[in-house]
Amino acid sequence: MPKLNKICVFCGSSDGNDQKITDMAISLGTLFARENITLVYGAAKIGVMGTLAKSVLEGNGNVIGVIPGFLKKKEVVHLGLTKLITTKNMHERKLKMHELCDGFIALPGGIGTLEELFEMLTWLQLGLHTKPIGLLNCNGFYNDLLQLLETMVRKGFVSMENYELLQVDNTVSGLLQKMTDFKAPNIPNWLNEDRT
């Protein structure tokens, strides 16, 4: 896997109530700035999203924000980013984030974070991209989700191969190493261009 020069991070537009999550967002942003990794994210200056962007910018790193026009009225948009891209809708936002990055990380967040994570994971499962996807399991935040995925494997709804597509770690450095080492599987034989 080539160097991860740009990583898209999905995370909450709320702060939550666990200081360890805020601290981990700061640690991730600090590492991005230090390692010259550009952050691609949802362009808000509030919540975990804002904390992450602020930490990258304070380390003189680069931050690209991508936001649909209608959310500019509802979210507090960060106007101090390296680059701000406005899209027509949510679908275009995810396509643009995918286009811009070399990999994805999910920090703790809400329903939107899960939706973004699982769409990118589905695309990887279908062979529509080969980028690594990491889950930063801060302070056990995603333990229940991981248990659900294990249940899906046991019940025959998710293959072990697809379960293992998601790189999981509870440390920033450990997750980045797993993502760097990631090798995407071959595209499934039953898929072809007419069906995707």
Side-chain angles (χ1 to χ4, degrees):
M1 179 78 202
K3 184 180 186 307
L4 301 171
N5 294 311
K6 295 179 182 177
I7 296 179
C8 177
V9 179
F10 303 129
C11 55
S13 58
S14 297
D15 288 311
N17 56 18
D18 185 342
Q19 183 61 39
K20 290 182 180 178
I21 292 172
T22 300
D23 293 342
M24 186 161 280
I26 293 169
S27 295
L28 183 63
T30 301
L31 182 142
F32 275 24
R34 187 176 67 241
E35 298 295 324
N36 199 27
I37 298 170
T38 296
L39 168 66
V40 178
Y41 87 120
K45 73 172 188 179
I46 56 175
V48 177
M49 294 171 72
T51 297
L52 175 63
K54 181 181 178 187
S55 65
V56 177
L57 293 168
E58 285 179 347
N60 295 314
N62 294 314
V63 180
I64 301 173
V66 185
I67 191 166
F70 80 91
L71 276 183
K72 283 186 172 180
K73 299 169 187 168
K74 296 181 180 178
E75 292 184 2
V76 180
V77 178
H78 199 308
L79 298 177
L81 304 177
T82 310
K83 185 174 185 180
L84 179 64
I85 298 170
T86 304
T87 62
K88 293 177 183 175
N89 53 50
M90 296 290 281
H91 297 294
E92 188 179 303
R93 180 196 215 182
K94 281 179 287 188
L95 284 169
K96 178 55 72 174
M97 287 174 155
H98 169 265
E99 176 188 309
L100 289 169
C101 76
D102 303 311
F104 305 89
I105 291 176
L107 279 169
I111 292 170
T113 300
L114 291 178
E115 185 270 334
E116 292 165 328
L117 168 66
F118 280 105
E119 182 152 10
M120 291 305 119
L121 195 55
T122 300
W123 291 6
L124 177 58
Q125 175 182 298
L126 293 173
L128 300 178
H129 73 80
T130 58
K131 301 172 183 181
I133 301 174
L135 190 69
L136 198 48
N137 190 22
C138 178
N139 203 23
F141 183 85
Y142 283 117
N143 286 352
D144 292 338
L145 177 64
L146 294 169
Q147 286 182 353
L148 174 60
L149 290 172
E150 290 170 8
T151 298
M152 290 174 163
V153 173
R154 286 196 308 273
K155 298 292 184 181
F157 288 99
V158 175
S159 70
M160 182 56 72
E161 181 182 49
N162 287 335
Y163 173 80
E164 292 174 347
L165 292 175
L166 185 61
Q167 309 303 299
V168 182
D169 207 287
N170 57 9
T171 67
V172 169
S173 58
L175 186 62
L176 263 290
Q177 189 59 57
K178 287 178 180 178
M179 291 175 66
T180 300
D181 295 341
F182 176 76
K183 291 179 177 58
N186 295 324
I187 296 173
N189 292 332
W190 54 269
L191 280 179
N192 57 54
E193 287 186 15
D194 294 333
R195 296 179 68 177
T196 52

